[in-house]
Amino acid sequence: QTLAPMVSAYFKNVAQTRTLIQLSQERSKIRDVSSLEMKEKFAHYNLELEEVLIGTPRSSEGDNKIETILTQLRSRQVAMEQIETYDRQEKAAAKERELRETEARARQQQSITESELSITVQSNQGKAEYQRSLQEAAKIRTMAEAEGSKVQIMAGAEAGKIRAIAEAEAERAARVGIGQAVAIEEQVRAYGGPQFQLTQQVMNRFAEAIQQSGADVVPKVVISGKDGGGSGGGVMEALLTMLLSDKVTQSLGSHTQSPRSPEVEAMRDQIKDKTKG
């Protein structure tokens, strides 16, 4: 009479704050709380409460509402579990996909690294080839410039050499000619004038010609006229007569030389000074 109304009233109060589904879902929590609260109530009657057991609610005969609700609750619970399962499976699939991607990336990492290294090596080789090309071009350009300078210097030196040789030859020829002219002039003076010089040269040539030909200087037959003149005096007499004639003397005396250039005069003076020294 005391305990049954107290227990009934307690659970009625609990049922008023929750739905049937909440009562079913929170049965363990309600049991624990009711055990603590009802122990205090039982203590007033000197009774010791060991445990509170909450059974499955049942409807009266002909009423299937509670069973329907419990079935829905079980279905809902199954659905929630399935959702949780699917959610976990999705997460597991995502994790598995990440794992597969990580494994594939790890397998491809070596190829990627080798490709990157190959690209770097080829880039460095291209840069090295470019630098070598620039250096080779600079080397060829420098050698070409040096060869051109060498050829130009050698050509200038050769031209200078030829010019110096030509000038030296010209100066030597001029000096020889002037020396010969000075010598001839001094010989003419030594012989007493151009007439005697000419006579001496002609006589020398004539003597050399007679010596080489073996002709008689004095003819073997001489034909004389009554006045002492003759036609058998030979070539020697005729040549001497011509050389000693007044016409030759006047021709040599009247010959005038063209004026010499100052350079030739200076060279003649140098040669005369060296001869005097």
Side-chain angles (χ1 to χ4, degrees):
Q1 293 177 356
T2 303
L3 295 179
M6 184 180 61
V7 173
S8 177
Y10 178 82
F11 282 102
K12 285 181 180 180
N13 293 332
V14 173
Q16 289 178 356
T17 61
R18 291 174 176 84
T19 62
L20 180 60
I21 295 175
Q22 289 176 344
L23 290 173
S24 299
Q25 292 176 346
E26 299 177 3
R27 185 169 58 179
S28 298
K29 181 180 179 181
I30 294 173
R31 183 189 57 192
D32 295 336
V33 174
S34 62
S35 296
L36 294 175
E37 293 180 353
M38 293 182 69
K39 279 182 180 182
E40 294 180 358
K41 293 181 180 296
F42 277 39
H44 294 294
Y45 299 97
N46 296 322
L47 297 174
E48 183 177 355
L49 178 65
E50 292 294 335
E51 186 179 4
V52 175
L53 299 176
I54 302 175
T56 302
R58 294 183 181 275
S59 58
S60 59
E61 294 181 3
D63 188 3
N64 297 325
K65 293 181 180 180
I66 295 178
E67 284 73 11
T68 302
I69 293 174
L70 293 177
T71 301
Q72 293 177 355
L73 182 60
R74 284 193 293 271
S75 299
R76 186 180 297 176
Q77 187 67 35
V78 171
M80 292 178 63
E81 291 296 331
Q82 288 179 346
I83 292 172
E84 183 68 21
T85 301
Y86 295 155
D87 186 31
R88 291 182 179 273
Q89 288 178 352
E90 183 180 2
K91 292 181 179 179
K95 291 294 183 181
E96 184 178 4
R97 185 170 60 254
E98 292 179 0
L99 177 62
R100 300 302 181 195
E101 291 177 357
T102 303
E103 291 177 352
R105 190 177 296 108
R107 288 193 297 270
Q108 296 295 327
Q109 186 63 40
Q110 183 177 1
S111 299
I112 294 173
T113 303
E114 291 177 355
S115 299
E116 292 177 352
L117 290 176
S118 177
I119 292 172
T120 303
V121 170
Q122 292 179 0
S123 177
N124 292 335
Q125 289 179 351
K127 293 179 180 178
E129 289 292 336
Y130 177 71
Q131 292 297 327
R132 281 196 292 270
S133 300
L134 292 179
Q135 293 177 359
E136 188 67 22
K139 178 181 177 181
I140 294 173
R141 184 167 55 252
T142 302
M143 292 178 65
E145 293 176 355
E147 188 67 22
S149 300
K150 177 181 177 182
V151 171
Q152 185 176 2
I153 292 173
M154 291 179 65
E158 187 67 21
K161 177 181 177 182
I162 294 172
R163 184 168 56 252
I165 293 174
E167 292 177 355
E169 288 292 333
E171 184 178 358
R172 185 179 67 83
R175 288 182 177 274
V176 170
I178 294 173
Q180 290 178 353
V182 171
I184 293 172
E185 183 179 356
E186 294 299 326
Q187 289 178 0
V188 170
R189 290 180 181 178
Y191 280 103
Q195 180 180 3
F196 296 101
Q197 176 68 16
L198 177 61
T199 302
Q200 193 268 342
Q201 289 181 354
V202 170
M203 294 301 295
N204 288 335
R205 297 292 188 272
F206 186 73
E208 291 176 357
I210 293 174
Q211 182 180 1
Q212 292 178 359
S213 63
D216 294 334
V217 177
V218 179
K220 295 180 180 180
V221 179
V222 179
I223 300 175
S224 299
K226 59 180 180 179
D227 55 355
S231 60
V235 179
M236 176 65 75
E237 183 179 356
L239 183 61
L240 291 175
T241 303
M242 182 188 70
L243 291 175
L244 297 176
S245 65
D246 295 336
K247 292 182 178 180
V248 175
T249 303
Q250 292 176 358
S251 176
L252 292 174
S254 62
H255 178 71
T256 58
Q257 296 181 350
S258 60
R260 302 184 183 92
S261 64
E263 292 80 3
V264 175
E265 289 294 340
M267 193 173 296
R268 287 170 57 86
D269 295 339
Q270 292 180 1
I271 293 174
K272 288 181 179 181
D273 294 339
K274 288 181 180 180
T275 303
K276 293 179 181 180

